């Protein structure tokens, strides 16, 4: 690739002080011509890991031309490339090398590292690393000398320095330029109280006489001249030693992490249709998974007090079915663990073991994250692969801080932001700096500092309702106590709230308020309009319309066509009375029974705000006791208040509801359909599943009085 030399001079740019030295054209030309031939483009081609999986994106490199960062947010895999400037120079202990910013694409994730000299590709390999400067030195893979002039370093004279740089343009041209730098007016970091001078990264620092002093790899230069007296002060780590240190770091950190396996009881709502299961999935869960899952894998981190912090967002209905926890040890053995509480606001829970776990907990970093700017942190990713801990270590450069969750000022770890819950960021001594966790509300994955995690653990804000439960209490939901519908322009006009609801585009119209509920307690009534809910701890407002989902089934339940419905479609039927479990109730359940929430609503045209406590719903169809008659292929459930409302049944009216009919079973053959009512067995009324079980036990056949809406018939079933 032919190098096009462009001579560019800048004074007082990139945020530098007005007192920066001004270079005349002759000096610019002299310095550029002397050092530009030593700059060359390093071409790095990445590849997937040995299993074919893409790896985390490389770190950006700081561009000396524009002062910005260049790179990709995409995960690195086969075919992806990066071009960065490299300087051919002679370094103590390393000899003549190509020095470049370290973007952390190293073997085995680099398919090739090359420079092009006189039309020929020269393969390079890492020779040494300079951690404080975020730099890497390459040498030809075949051991041959570099056929380019090498810069040698010596003490600079004078107080003013110039940064000589090279930039590779997308078209392949290589431009060189100069940026003057002055140390006379340093700035002060309010985070670290350190003095610094804003400079251009990736520059060779020289004086006006052409003496090369060092290479600047970050945007900040310390004004104390002793710290930048010469590149000879850089601490060199040979590549083999660096890789060994990375391996040791990975191994040491991994001793604090364990694969966790959980076993769950079968969800008693196994008779739900696929449509109902899809509607029941929480809009706040990041991963869509079947409610019939009977196991899950997770990662646990050993805490200083010996407990295990398990990174898993447990819905209360999942925790209720939790029957066993196992922790896998490095030697392949398994030990039982005990659930010790799920955090109310975070997707984590605690577990304990009867005997201490092997390994050592990580120290928690508690300093200011601004100190990491321009340095390297290490993204440690974990995978529970069949109860075996798989660990990957991806170094990344930290360029800046960001405002994180709860207004934390944290290191901006771009790679970690693309990782799963439980992945972490550590520094060289293995201290925990950041951890990736999920929040309960929204199930958003966020990075939090080790210091903030310490605060969470100290507060110990566990949800007393999110616990394992006995079999008869495993399915429940929270309930606010209202029935609502979307507000429209016409409804808003009819209720006199067009102005407050932007012509019916905001809010939900309350159509019913159930007695003895939170809604009734705060005075809500039909005709009121729900405007928003607000979480008091952080002020986040939630639009109630976001919870409104629409079923693919429209119109009334097809009772008239039920007799003609092929039995293979039984499990696809929607619930005639609608699903009591809604996304909003799921949100309340995840927030926690007993938690407080503020609601704003319009009543008689005036906005009111009330705080209420989330309550557990009374009996409803999904949580009703069930009895499975396997010999006859039928499941029945108690008739709950929501069903009595739908069928307009008196409180003392007999019956159980048919919640499932097995295709091909004896009940289906006899003509029984889902959601019909069984009123009696052999002439004796049944009021619940216990009475139904008592009436059929030991019998080889029986007569049932079955009701579909208002019509009764007798159905004979025999073995």
């Amino acid at each position: 690739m032919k190098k096009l030399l462009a001579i560019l001079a800048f004074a007082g740019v990139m945020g530098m002080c007005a007192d920066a030295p001004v270079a005349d054209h002759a000096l610019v030309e002299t310095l550029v011509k002397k050092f530009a031939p030593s700059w060359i483009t390093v071409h790095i081609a990445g590849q997937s890991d040995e299993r074919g999986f893409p790896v985390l994106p490389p770190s950006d490199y700081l561009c000396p031309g524009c002062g910005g960062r260049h790179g990709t947010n995409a995960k690195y895999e086969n075919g992806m490339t990066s071009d960065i400037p490299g300087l051919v120079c002679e370094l103590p202990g390393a000899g003549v090398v190509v020095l470049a910013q370290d973007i952390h694409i190293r073997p085995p994730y680099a398919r090739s590292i090359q420079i092009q000299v006189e039309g020929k590709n020269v393969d390079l390999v890492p020779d040494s690393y300079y951690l404080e400067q975020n730099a890497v030195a390459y040498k030809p893979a075949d051991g041959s000398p570099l056929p380019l002039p090498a810069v040698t370093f010596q003490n600079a004279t004078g107080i003013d320095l110039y940064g000589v740089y090279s930039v590779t343009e997308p078209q392949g041209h290589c431009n060189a330029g100069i940026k003057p730098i002055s140390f006379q007016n340093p700035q002060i970091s309010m985070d670290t109280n350190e003095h610094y001078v804003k400079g251009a990264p990736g520059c060779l620092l020289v004086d006006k006489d052409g003496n090369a002093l060092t290479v600047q790899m970050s945007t900040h230069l310390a004004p104390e001249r002793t710290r930048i007296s010469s590149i000879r002060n850089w601490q060199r780590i040979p590549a083999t030693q660096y890789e060994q240190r990375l391996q040791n770091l990975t191994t040491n950190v991994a001793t604090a992490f364990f694969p966790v396996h959980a076993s769950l009881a079968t969800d008693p709502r196994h008779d739900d249709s696929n449509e109902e299961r899809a509607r029941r999935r929480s809009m706040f869960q990041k991963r869509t998974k079947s409610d019939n899952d009977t196991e899950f894998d997770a990662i646990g981190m050993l805490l200083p007090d010996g407990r295990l912090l398990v990174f898993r967002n447990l819905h209360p209905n999942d925790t209720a079915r939790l029957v066993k926890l196992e922790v896998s040890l490095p030697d392949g053995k398994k030990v039982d663990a005990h659930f010790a509480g799920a955090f109310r606001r975070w997707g984590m829970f605690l577990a304990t073991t009867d005997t201490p776990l092997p390994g050592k907990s990580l120290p928690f970093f508690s300093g200011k994250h601004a100190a990491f700017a321009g340095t390297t942190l290490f993204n440690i990713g974990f995978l529970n692969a069949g109860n075996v801990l798989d660990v990957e270590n991806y170094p990344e450069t930290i360029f800046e801080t960001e405002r994180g969750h709860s207004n934390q000022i944290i290191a901006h770890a771009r790679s970690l932001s693309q990782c799963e819950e439980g992945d972490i960021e550590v520094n060289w001594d293995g201290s925990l700096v950041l951890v990736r966790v999920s929040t309960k509300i929204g199930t958003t994955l966020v990075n939090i500092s080790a210091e903030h995690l310490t605060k969470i653990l100290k507060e110990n804000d566990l949800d007393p309702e999110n616990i394992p439960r006995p079999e008869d209490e495993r399915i429940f939901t929270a309930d606010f106590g209202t029935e609502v519908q979307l507000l429209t322009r016409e409804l808003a006009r009819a209720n006199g709230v067009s102005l407050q609801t932007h012509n019916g585009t905001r809010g939900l119209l309350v159509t019913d308020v159930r007695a003895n509920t939170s809604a009734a307690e705060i005075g809500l009534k039909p005709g009121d309009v729900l405007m928003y809910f607000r979480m008091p701890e952080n002020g986040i407002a939630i639009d109630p319309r976001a919870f409104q989902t629409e079923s693919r089934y429209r119109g009334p339940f097809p009772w008239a066509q039920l007799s003609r419905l092929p039995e293979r479609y039984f499990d696809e039927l929607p619930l005639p009375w609608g699903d009591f479990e809604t996304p909003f109730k799921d949100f309340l359940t995840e927030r926690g029974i007993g938690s407080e929430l503020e609601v704003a609503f319009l009543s008689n045209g005036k906005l009111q705000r009330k705080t209420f406590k989330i309550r557990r719903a009374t009996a409803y169809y999904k949580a009703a006791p069930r009895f499975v008659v396997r010999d006859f292929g039928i499941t029945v459930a108690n008739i709950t208040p929501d069903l009595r409302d739908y069928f307009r049944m008196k409180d003392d009216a007999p019956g159980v509801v048919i919640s499932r009919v097995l295709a091909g079973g004896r009940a289906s053959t006899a003509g029984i359909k889902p959601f019909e009512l069984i009123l009696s067995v052999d002439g004796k009324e049944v009021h619940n599943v216990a009475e139904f079980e008592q009436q059929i036990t030991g019998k080889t056949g029986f007569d049932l009085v079955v009701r579909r809406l208002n019509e009764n018939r007798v159905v004979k079933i025999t073995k």
Side-chain angles (χ1 to χ4, degrees), residues 359-608:
K360 184 180 180 181
S361 62
L362 300 181
F364 284 19
F365 178 81
S366 59
K368 292 186 176 181
H369 284 213
F372 294 120
T375 65
T376 299
L377 291 181
F378 303 88
N379 175 266
I380 312 291
F382 303 96
L383 174 67
N384 185 341
N387 295 322
V388 175
L389 188 66
D390 183 42
V391 188
E392 296 288 346
N393 187 341
Y394 301 104
E396 70 168 312
T397 303
I398 303 299
F399 292 106
E400 59 193 7
T401 57
E402 63 179 343
R403 191 171 296 278
H405 194 275
S406 300
N407 285 324
Q408 314 164 64
I409 301 299
I410 60 174
H412 178 64
R414 189 185 64 175
S415 293
L416 187 63
S417 298
Q418 300 191 30
C419 294
E420 298 298 325
E421 54 190 334
D423 289 353
I424 62 173
E425 204 91 5
V426 300
N427 60 13
W428 260 119
D429 66 10
S431 294
L432 181 68
V433 177
L434 294 169
V435 61
R436 189 87 167 145
V437 299
S438 62
T439 60
K440 278 288 186 182
I441 305 303
T443 319
T444 304
L445 289 175
V446 297
N447 300 339
I448 64 172
S449 67
E451 188 174 16
H452 193 66
L453 179 59
T454 301
K455 179 182 177 182
I456 293 171
L457 294 172
K458 185 177 181 180
E459 290 175 348
N460 203 38
D461 184 20
L462 304 179
D463 185 352
E465 295 292 330
N466 195 356
I467 58 174
R469 296 180 180 275
E471 185 174 357
D472 60 346
E473 297 181 14
R474 283 177 179 159
I475 299 304
F476 67 94
T477 190
D479 184 26
F480 182 50
T482 58
E483 297 296 329
V484 297
Q485 71 177 77
L486 282 173
L487 203 61
T488 63
R489 179 185 291 269
E490 292 75 18
L491 287 173
R493 186 183 300 117
N495 286 273
V497 292
S498 297
L499 178 62
Q500 299 94 322
T501 64
H502 286 221
N503 289 321
T505 60
R506 298 179 181 176
L508 294 176
L509 181 65
V510 177
T511 59
D512 187 32
V513 178
R514 289 184 288 278
N516 301 317
T517 61
S518 298
E521 186 177 81
I522 63 174
L524 269 174
K525 60 184 184 299
D528 291 345
V529 178
L530 297 177
M531 296 301 294
Y532 62 82
F533 293 90
R534 189 187 300 277
M535 292 180 281
E537 71 275 7
N538 54 26
I540 294 177
I542 300 171
D543 183 358
R545 294 171 73 105
F547 299 103
Q548 294 299 105
T549 59
E550 194 172 90
S551 170
R552 62 190 174 114
Y553 296 101
R554 297 177 182 270
F557 185 81
W559 287 107
Q561 291 78 37
L562 201 57
S563 296
R564 300 194 299 272
L565 182 71
E567 59 183 10
R568 65 178 179 274
Y569 296 120
F570 284 174
D571 285 347
E572 300 300 319
L573 284 172
L575 295 177
W577 43 83
D579 193 358
F580 187 83
E581 291 180 351
T582 63
F584 176 60
K585 290 171 184 171
D586 211 2
F587 157 69
L588 295 178
T589 305
E590 290 184 13
R591 180 162 174 81
I593 306 297
S595 297
E596 289 189 343
L597 204 62
E598 180 186 289
V599 60
F601 59 94
L602 295 171
S603 183
N604 298 322
K606 296 182 179 180
L607 186 66
Q608 298 188 34

Side-chain angles (χ1 to χ4, degrees), residues 71-99:
T72 175
N73 284 321
K75 290 189 174 183
Y76 236 48
E77 51 189 335
N78 294 331
M80 299 190 69
T81 61
S82 296
D83 288 336
I84 55 175
L87 177 68
V88 179
C89 57
E90 185 175 354
L91 298 180
V96 177
V97 296
V98 178
L99 185 67

Side-chain angles (χ1 to χ4, degrees), residues 143-259:
S144 61
L146 286 165
L148 292 169
V151 173
T152 58
F153 296 94
Q154 49 197 302
N155 291 329
T157 60
I159 194 170
D160 295 325
L161 296 176
Y162 302 88
V164 183
Y165 68 88
S166 173
V167 178
T168 301
E169 302 293 344
Q171 298 83 4
H173 301 313
C174 196
N175 296 336
I178 282 184
K179 291 182 182 289
I181 299 172
S182 174
F183 291 87
Q184 295 180 7
N185 295 308
Q187 301 179 37
I188 300 176
S189 168
M190 299 301 292
D191 294 313
T192 62
N193 293 322
E194 292 183 352
H195 293 67
Y196 70 92
V197 171
K198 194 75 176 289
C203 284
L204 171 66
L205 298 187
V206 301
D207 62 15
K208 64 180 180 179
D209 297 324
N211 299 310
L213 174 65
T214 189
V215 178
Q216 178 188 356
M217 290 298 182
S218 68
T219 57
H220 290 184
L221 280 175
E224 293 81 5
R225 299 300 299 273
T226 56
R227 294 183 59 182
I228 58 168
S229 59
S230 174
I231 201 170
R232 292 192 293 267
N233 293 337
W234 288 15
Q235 183 179 356
R236 174 178 179 261
I237 301 178
T240 53
Q241 183 181 336
Y242 175 79
E243 292 294 334
Q244 186 60 52
R245 285 185 63 178
L246 279 182
Q247 183 59 47
N248 293 343
L249 176 65
T250 306
T251 301
N252 293 336
V253 169
T255 61
F257 289 81
F258 298 87

Side-chain angles (χ1 to χ4, degrees), residues 638-658:
N638 282 350
I639 297 179
T640 49
D642 49 334
L643 272 67
R644 292 190 181 276
D645 287 344
Y646 177 79
F647 289 115
R648 299 182 180 179
M649 299 173 62
K650 295 181 178 179
D651 291 343
D652 58 351
V656 291
V657 64
I658 299 166

